[in-house]
Amino acid sequence: MSTSPETSHASSRETTEGTVYTVTGGDWDEVVQSAARADDERIIVNMGPQHPSTHGVLRLILEIDGETVTEARCGIGYLHTGIEKNLEFRNWTQGTTFVTRMDYLTPFFNETAYCLGVEKLLGITDQIPDRATAVRVLLMELNRLSSHLVCIATGGMELGATTIMIYGFRDRELILDIFELITGLRMNHAFVRPGGLAQDLPAGAMDQLRDFVKTMKKNLPEYDKLATGNPIFKARMQDVGYLDLTGCMALGATGPILRSAGLPHDLRKTDPYCGYEEYEFDVPTTESCDSYGRFLVRLEEMRQSLRIVEQVLDRLEPGPVMVGDKKIAWPAQLAMGPDGLGNSLDHIKNIMGTSMEALIHHFKLVTEGFRVPAGQVYAAVESPKGELGVHVVSDGGTRPYRVHFRDPSFTNLQAMAAMCEGGQVADVIVAVASIDPVMGGVDR
């Protein structure tokens, strides 16, 4: 390719036709070369993707002038799993096994959003048992607590506040123990299924949940004592990662970032799902538009989640946890055995020993899956990081034609440049921590 020296970013060579410049590389090479031509004092620094403070394999390309960040860009794709594409090769129920692994800190939100979309296409939204819906809310609010605890714990650690990190993971362990009791796993549960849940709450779950609520009510004030009024903590976070309401709206930022700019936008209130309109809770906001405000919002959201968990426990009525239609309800009979969650032996003995029709039906349901009417829907839930939406398309078969997620971490990362440019290098870590991105959701 023959071009002018101003646009090349590789060595040149002389030919009989004149000087030839070979253009190679991509956007990052362009950034490096243009910076090098513009000012010898400015340098390009790679922060990540193997940096301990980049929240997973996130690459930040920073152009710095001294200690000041003059340009910041995100490099993503280092954790790409192909989850959305893989969904097209599995039946509708198996899809939950994939989506739960996207944002691995918020598995129940991924599962619920996906199942709400599938249930809309099936036309069974109103047929989901009340108990199944209430348990979904219970698990999502516990998950909101665990996600915020990780955000506050890791964010504190990156500022040098190691005590808050220890406290955060201590409390998260209590929640993961409950998840393990209910689903058999600490994460990647695939517990929420189209039509309801994989199984009901096991014996002892209610008592452990009530004990947990009491413990967390005692532990949450410790975060206030450790951080909220701490002058060092405030000095590192106030006016850092600033993004006002106009910027949030322009970039599509949602969740604590948007609420820290003063807008009380929460899908649980504005577009309720799973019966959230029946629960009493507040949507916390601040006007600071900075990292400290996002910390305060998350801390208050944890208190509100505890309120919702208490209300679920008080109103949880006995009943089924899977839709009554046996052409959809799979797996209908699970039990917790010594090797974890699996098919109930009684159910297997029943369908294999007494009813050939039941065995054939079970075989077809497990191997082929149920059919979903052709169409497309959008369903969204309020995840700890913002609006988690799913666009589900069916061609009438037993597998999704296309499933695409609007992951809040992916959208919110767009705000990184606006938050960091003009600030200090040390403040980049604080800003990214306040966004709380999880690369499993970004690189799905």
Side-chain angles (χ1 to χ4, degrees), residues 96-380:
T96 57
T97 312
F98 282 107
V99 300
T100 190
R101 288 166 163 78
M102 295 190 312
D103 183 339
Y104 37 80
L105 291 182
T106 64
F108 287 114
F109 292 91
N110 304 334
E111 295 171 25
T112 302
Y114 170 76
C115 289
L116 288 176
V118 177
E119 288 159 7
K120 266 190 186 179
L121 281 173
L122 286 167
I124 61 169
T125 302
D126 296 332
Q127 300 172 32
I128 308 303
D130 291 341
R131 184 173 177 86
T133 299
V135 173
R136 286 179 180 183
V137 170
L138 174 76
L139 293 171
M140 281 191 287
E141 292 310 316
L142 289 171
N143 204 170
R144 193 182 310 278
L145 274 159
S146 67
S147 177
H148 283 346
L149 283 168
V150 172
C151 174
I152 290 171
T154 54
M157 178 179 64
E158 288 158 7
L159 300 180
T162 51
T163 308
I164 201 170
M165 183 269 291
I166 294 168
Y167 279 34
F169 280 101
R170 173 202 66 185
D171 292 338
R172 179 174 178 256
E173 279 300 303
L174 302 176
I175 301 173
L176 295 188
D177 286 343
I178 291 172
F179 288 168
E180 188 172 7
L181 172 68
I182 294 173
T183 73
L185 294 163
R186 289 162 56 89
M187 58 195 297
N188 301 338
H189 313 277
F191 186 73
V192 181
R193 306 284 175 87
L197 306 172
Q199 67 164 9
D200 202 351
L201 296 178
M206 295 292 282
D207 293 335
Q208 188 161 333
L209 282 161
R210 292 191 188 280
D211 290 342
F212 165 75
V213 170
K214 288 179 187 173
T215 304
M216 276 307 292
K217 280 188 170 181
K218 180 171 61 72
N219 289 356
L220 272 181
E222 294 176 352
Y223 294 89
D224 280 316
K225 293 176 184 175
L226 273 172
T228 304
N230 187 322
I232 301 174
F233 192 80
K234 290 171 73 174
R236 283 293 281 119
M237 298 187 81
Q238 285 180 329
D239 297 324
V240 173
Y242 185 88
L243 187 70
D244 61 14
L245 183 56
T246 305
C248 289
M249 300 300 280
L251 294 168
T254 53
I257 298 175
L258 181 59
R259 292 190 282 275
S260 73
L263 186 67
H265 176 73
D266 189 313
L267 289 174
R268 295 174 294 174
K269 291 282 191 184
T270 59
D271 190 11
Y273 53 93
C274 292
Y276 266 110
E277 64 274 13
E278 299 172 12
Y279 299 96
E280 290 183 14
F281 64 98
D282 300 320
V283 179
T285 61
T286 66
E287 301 284 345
S288 61
C289 308
D290 59 10
S291 298
Y292 183 66
R294 286 162 215 143
F295 163 76
L296 295 178
V297 165
R298 289 187 176 100
L299 201 54
E300 183 56 33
E301 281 186 11
M302 288 160 65
R303 296 189 184 97
Q304 299 302 321
S305 289
L306 274 183
R307 278 181 69 188
I308 297 173
V309 168
E310 281 188 296
Q311 292 172 62
V312 174
L313 294 177
D314 290 340
R315 66 174 65 178
L316 203 56
E317 298 286 341
V321 294
M322 181 54 84
V323 69
D325 187 351
K326 292 301 179 186
K327 293 183 178 179
I328 297 171
W330 175 77
Q333 304 291 330
L334 291 180
M336 191 75 76
D339 56 347
L341 196 63
N343 283 309
S344 162
L345 287 176
D346 291 336
H347 178 61
I348 293 171
K349 287 175 183 174
N350 178 47
I351 65 174
M352 293 189 74
T354 63
S355 173
M356 177 60 74
E357 290 80 8
L359 180 60
I360 293 170
H361 178 70
H362 183 80
F363 179 78
K364 284 181 67 67
L365 189 60
V366 172
T367 54
E368 293 180 8
F370 50 79
R371 293 189 177 276
V372 173
Q376 57 182 329
V377 296
Y378 178 79

